[in-house]
Amino acid sequence: MLTRAAYATFSSLLLMGLIISGCAKKPATTAATSAPAPAPAPAPRATAPQAAPSTPAPSAAPAPAPLAGPAAPRPSPKEFAAVDALKDIHFEFDKYDIRPEDTRTLDANASWLKSNAENLVLIEGHCDERGTNEYNLALGERRAKATMNYLVSQGIQANRITIISYGEERPVCNEKTDSCWAKNRRAHFLVKPR
């Protein structure tokens, strides 16, 4: 539980980050990418013996590594659709840890994704309405990332997964009750063919 001072400091830092990065209402989207392959080491050159120069020769800077090709365009969330086989998981208030009871759901989701390897998956992170928009967008992203990390640990390729945070913007329940808020604290799964 955060103290008021810690919460105010945290909120200020989040607000500054959002001001720098853009509008708080825009959902945060992240695509998993792999690092570019390392450049091959230059082959050693045979040189003829030379007389020692009177002044040291300037050292040649290594050539920059070639840039990897353009990254694959990030798929639009509008291209994804829900499938009945992939079930949502839920989170405790103000947490993004995967609950033990949700690991069975994620294991079943991973199994489906393995047997349907031609599909890309979008993981949406959602929050209940409590907290600021900025805080909930960040928390929704942490929930989506934690879910993605679990699926990757189960053998799903990270390059098949895109995450997005909607924070509190897309509730499935609008009542002001604990049971309703619990339904909104979720990671939701959508898929699209490659």
Side-chain angles (χ1 to χ4, degrees), residues 7-189:
Y7 184 76
T9 302
F10 182 72
S11 296
S12 297
L13 290 174
L14 277 175
L15 181 60
M16 294 224 1
L18 288 169
I19 289 170
I20 292 169
S21 66
C23 179
K25 289 287 186 181
K26 184 177 179 184
T29 307
T30 307
T33 58
S34 57
R45 290 187 270 168
T47 57
Q50 298 179 350
S54 59
T55 58
S59 62
L67 295 175
R74 187 177 319 173
S76 168
K78 295 176 185 172
E79 300 171 5
F80 290 83
V83 293
D84 291 334
L86 297 177
K87 305 296 183 200
D88 291 357
I89 63 166
H90 295 87
F91 297 87
E92 297 296 331
F93 175 71
D94 203 29
K95 303 275 188 217
Y96 58 92
D97 303 323
I98 304 294
R99 301 180 310 176
E101 59 268 25
D102 287 315
T103 59
R104 288 186 295 279
T105 302
L106 286 176
D107 291 341
N109 289 355
S111 179
W112 187 90
L113 289 167
K114 286 177 186 175
S115 62
N116 292 276
E118 72 282 359
N119 285 298
L120 301 176
V121 64
L122 173 68
I123 303 172
E124 297 178 345
H126 297 273
C127 300
D128 63 36
E129 66 188 39
R130 297 172 291 178
T132 65
N133 287 335
E134 297 84 7
Y135 182 81
N136 285 334
L137 280 171
L139 181 57
E141 183 172 359
R142 285 188 202 105
R143 288 174 174 169
K145 280 183 182 178
T147 304
M148 179 186 88
N149 290 340
Y150 186 90
L151 291 176
V152 168
S153 76
Q154 297 303 306
I156 304 302
Q157 296 171 332
N159 63 1
R160 290 178 60 196
I161 303 171
T162 302
I163 64 170
I164 189 167
S165 174
Y166 287 111
E168 64 192 66
E169 299 301 317
R170 295 188 176 187
V172 293
C173 183
N174 291 312
E175 298 170 14
K176 309 277 188 219
T177 64
D178 287 333
S179 63
C180 181
W181 289 328
K183 292 175 186 174
N184 292 332
R185 297 189 302 262
R186 70 195 189 282
H188 182 68
F189 300 87

